Amino acid sequence: MTTTGATTARGPLGARSGADTRVHTDTHTDETRENGMATDPVDEAAVEKGLARTAVVVALRDDLRIADCIASIDEDVEIVLALNGPSDAVLKLIAEHPRPLTVTEIDDVGNLGAAYNAGAAATDRQYLLLMDSDCTFAPGVVRAMVRAVLTAPVVKGQVVYGESDGLLSKLTARVREFDEGDYVSALSPPLVYNRAIVDHIGGYHFDGLIHWCEDREFDFRLQMAGIPVVYLPEARIFHDAQHGFANMRSYFRYGVGEGIAQETGVFTTPAVPVLWRLYEAIRTLVHCARDKGAGAAAYYALLKIAFHVGTAHHLLNDPHRVRDRYPASAKRARMVRSIPQHSTRLSGAQLRRLRRAHWEAGRRIEKVTDLSVFHQDAAGPAAASAAGEARQQQA
């Protein structure tokens, strides 16, 4: 850890109340969730206290763009870097950085779920704001998201995908917008949540086995617990432009994560996998062509192939050697109509099947009946600190 001075600035979102919100709950009937909940008004004194209880957590390997990410954090919050296989250049940047940084490290290279778990264990802050190293905050976004999370347990912002002059970069932006932008979810970044929810979603932040798709699995447990995700569209972050076929590598990794998650039962497995995936792919590509154009749909088809190749790669080779670490309760949760890859929305039957899978694994996830337990005055800093100390000792 380095401890030096930090600067604070406030952007144009500082005075917003977060009234333009959408909510994701455990009951969904439409592909796009409508406005269903607004964050309550919060005075600035409460926001300042909330900022003092907030940590921005970034999983980091070898991305030097982390310098720009840190520079965009315009509030005096704790910054936690969860390293997983850092390069020498990244270690040098961290050592010489002028801002205070909390640094933790895991040995499992590329395991985002385990990295975020380590980041959560390294801080006792009540509110955890998840961010990626290749993204930057718009001015005022940190404050706006903290204001919202004081009265809503989970808050999701909006990603603006950058583009370069290359065709693949433009298509990547269109596909990403389609893949994550037409439904409210807990996919990160930017995502901030009250760590008190962990006791209601199985007792853990992220699944440390599935490597990728960790936020998708997190989202499923939120739905099982009936914990809403408030969408704050004005809380924008900017994703750096992607070039070439880098995005295809990401989808390949998502496929690996999907394979692990199916084997451990935290995702459902199609009872007739080939037919289900073919049906899902055709339907998704038709919607993509309608919304983003034929070029984006063609590129998305390649990404879907990379995704399924990644799943097959795990099934055949277990590249991360995770099968030896599966719990004894690990088994597939089979369903005829499985969960589409292009969505996190669960049907009632899917909710019941996943809830049963968690119960069989010893994790009872019940619906939260009183969401006021997550409000700003429900747990003071002392309680958060004590809980954080216990987590640190366990880690």
Side-chain angles (χ1 to χ4, degrees):
M1 177 190 295
T2 62
T3 307
T4 55
T7 58
T8 302
R10 296 183 184 177
L13 293 182
R16 295 194 179 187
S17 63
D20 184 9
T21 59
R22 287 186 289 169
V23 65
H24 154 170
T25 68
D26 67 331
T27 302
H28 310 294
T29 56
D30 300 316
E31 189 66 22
T32 301
R33 268 75 85 179
E34 300 297 332
N35 289 336
M37 174 178 174
T39 55
D40 299 329
V42 177
D43 61 43
E44 289 304 308
V47 174
E48 292 294 340
K49 292 180 181 178
L51 289 166
R53 299 166 62 191
T54 298
V56 175
V57 182
V58 185
L60 178 63
R61 185 178 176 185
D62 56 2
D63 192 353
L64 294 177
R65 290 171 294 187
I66 185 62
D68 294 330
C69 177
I70 294 173
S72 71
I73 300 173
D74 55 4
E75 297 290 349
D76 190 9
V77 294
E78 183 178 12
I79 301 173
V80 180
L81 302 183
L83 308 181
N84 52 107
S87 64
D88 291 340
V90 162
L91 293 175
K92 183 176 185 293
L93 184 153
I94 292 171
E96 297 175 352
H97 203 280
R99 291 186 71 166
L101 303 172
T102 300
V103 181
T104 185
E105 185 172 357
I106 63 171
D107 295 329
D108 200 351
V109 176
N111 190 334
L112 295 180
Y116 281 132
N117 287 340
T123 178
D124 64 355
R125 303 297 172 96
Q126 187 73 19
Y127 307 111
L128 303 179
L129 175 50
L130 306 186
M131 187 58 166
D132 279 358
S133 58
D134 57 358
C135 299
T136 57
F137 290 101
V141 165
V142 173
R143 175 171 287 262
M145 296 193 74
V146 170
R147 175 185 285 108
V149 81
L150 295 179
T151 55
V154 185
V155 179
K156 165 73 170 160
Q158 180 182 6
V159 184
V160 178
Y161 291 96
E163 301 176 22
S164 67
D165 293 334
L167 176 61
L168 284 181
S169 178
K170 296 179 185 298
L171 292 178
T172 295
R174 299 291 81 76
V175 168
R176 285 290 193 170
E177 290 168 359
F178 171 77
D179 218 13
E180 300 175 8
D182 65 350
Y183 59 94
V184 179
S185 71
L187 301 183
S188 63
L191 186 79
V192 63
Y193 64 94
N194 186 332
R195 71 188 308 154
I197 68 172
V198 170
D199 292 337
H200 302 270
I201 58 172
Y204 61 99
H205 294 263
F206 295 96
D207 191 312
L209 288 175
I210 63 177
H211 283 63
W212 291 279
C213 300
E214 78 293 335
D215 48 359
R216 182 172 169 84
E217 192 272 337
F218 179 81
D219 185 288
F220 293 163
R221 285 181 286 127
L222 290 178
Q223 293 180 63
M224 283 182 267
I227 296 175
V229 177
V230 168
Y231 178 49
L232 205 63
E234 69 267 29
R236 296 179 301 163
I237 66 169
F238 302 100
H239 193 295
D240 203 19
Q242 291 183 290
H243 305 280
F245 290 94
N247 196 41
M248 194 167 292
R249 181 179 60 185
S250 296
Y251 275 77
F252 174 84
R253 290 171 172 172
Y254 299 155
V256 172
E258 176 85 13
I260 299 171
Q262 287 185 12
E263 287 186 339
T264 55
V266 295
F267 289 6
T268 61
T269 298
V272 188
V274 175
L275 292 180
W276 165 254
R277 293 306 180 194
L278 181 61
Y279 162 74
E280 181 210 349
I282 292 173
R283 183 179 63 169
T284 300
L285 294 175
V286 168
H287 291 168
C288 184
R290 179 195 63 196
D291 296 345
K292 299 297 180 181
Y299 180 55
Y300 195 31
L302 295 177
L303 297 177
K304 295 286 283 187
I305 292 172
F307 176 87
H308 294 306
V309 169
T311 300
H313 178 54
H314 166 72
L315 297 179
L316 295 173
N317 302 310
D318 187 19
H320 298 291
R321 301 294 181 263
V322 292
R323 288 199 178 105
D324 292 340
R325 291 182 276 153
Y326 285 176
S329 59
K331 65 178 182 179
R332 292 182 180 274
R334 296 189 181 276
M335 295 189 70
V336 173
R337 187 179 178 87
S338 193
I339 304 168
Q341 194 266 326
H342 171 64
S343 180
T344 59
R345 185 183 64 182
L346 300 176
S347 67
Q350 290 161 353
L351 280 169
R352 290 189 293 272
R353 184 65 187 91
L354 284 183
R355 185 179 284 115
R356 188 176 79 191
H358 280 279
W359 285 357
E360 291 171 351
R363 301 182 296 268
R364 295 187 65 86
I365 302 178
E366 304 284 359
K367 187 171 181 179
V368 178
T369 56
D370 181 11
L371 295 175
S372 67
V373 298
F374 304 122
H375 283 196
Q376 57 183 331
D377 55 353
S385 180
E389 183 178 350
R391 282 186 292 270
Q392 296 265 20
Q393 291 174 350
Q394 291 174 358

